[in-house]
Amino acid sequence: MWALFMIRNVKKQRPVNLNLATIRFPVTAIASILHRVSGVITFVAVGILLWFLGLSLSSPDGFLTASSIMGSPVIKFIMWGILTALAYHVVVGIRHMLMDFGCLEETFTAGKRSAVISFAITAVLSILAGVFLW
């Protein structure tokens, strides 16, 4: 009953912007959205990696099959993407935990700075993952 009363009293003339191309997100919002996306990618990747591990441990022939699959440039690129998503998720997760524990200030300036630092650390880890795979 209370919700119906609140709905009737909502201002009808408020502006609505549904054009996503005109919305400008701050870097902190982009970091948060990408953290969620990297979590989904990591969740899906766990299934792929467990299948790959099961194949390699099933038999000597399975190991040879898994190692020949891993030699493909497409699979190496997919593994690089998985490692990059995992690195980003871990780095930004640590950033969120530091903010929750009070080690980082919760101001826009500090959030912006820590988001940019997180992007830089992830870029370095992504390059290292690429060097490791190739």
Side-chain angles (χ1 to χ4, degrees):
M1 185 67 166
W2 176 255
L4 292 176
F5 175 73
M6 293 299 291
I7 290 172
R8 287 186 197 136
N9 290 333
V10 172
K11 190 193 281 188
K12 302 282 184 192
Q13 300 300 325
R14 60 185 170 179
V16 177
N17 182 7
L18 298 178
N19 187 359
L20 295 178
T22 62
I23 296 174
R24 300 289 176 234
F25 290 113
V27 70
T28 55
I30 293 170
S32 181
I33 292 167
L34 288 177
H35 184 250
R36 292 170 189 241
V37 170
S38 68
V40 171
I41 291 170
T42 303
F43 179 75
V44 172
V46 165
I48 296 169
L49 294 175
L50 284 176
W51 171 79
F52 201 66
L53 178 66
L55 176 66
S56 69
L57 295 177
S58 63
S59 66
D61 291 334
F63 179 78
L64 292 175
T65 303
S67 63
S68 67
I69 291 172
M70 192 59 199
S72 167
V74 174
I75 299 300
K76 284 185 180 183
F77 182 75
I78 290 171
M79 289 297 181
W80 174 78
I82 290 171
L83 288 174
T84 300
L86 179 63
Y88 181 78
H89 194 72
V90 168
V91 168
V92 177
I94 291 171
R95 172 184 170 254
H96 281 296
M97 285 184 5
L98 289 173
M99 286 190 303
D100 288 343
F101 291 147
C103 298
L104 295 175
E105 294 179 35
E106 291 191 15
T107 62
F108 181 69
T109 306
K112 188 175 169 182
R113 187 179 325 117
S114 65
V116 170
I117 290 170
S118 297
F119 289 147
I121 292 171
T122 302
V124 169
L125 291 175
S126 177
I127 291 169
L128 289 175
V131 168
F132 176 72
L133 287 174
W134 276 281

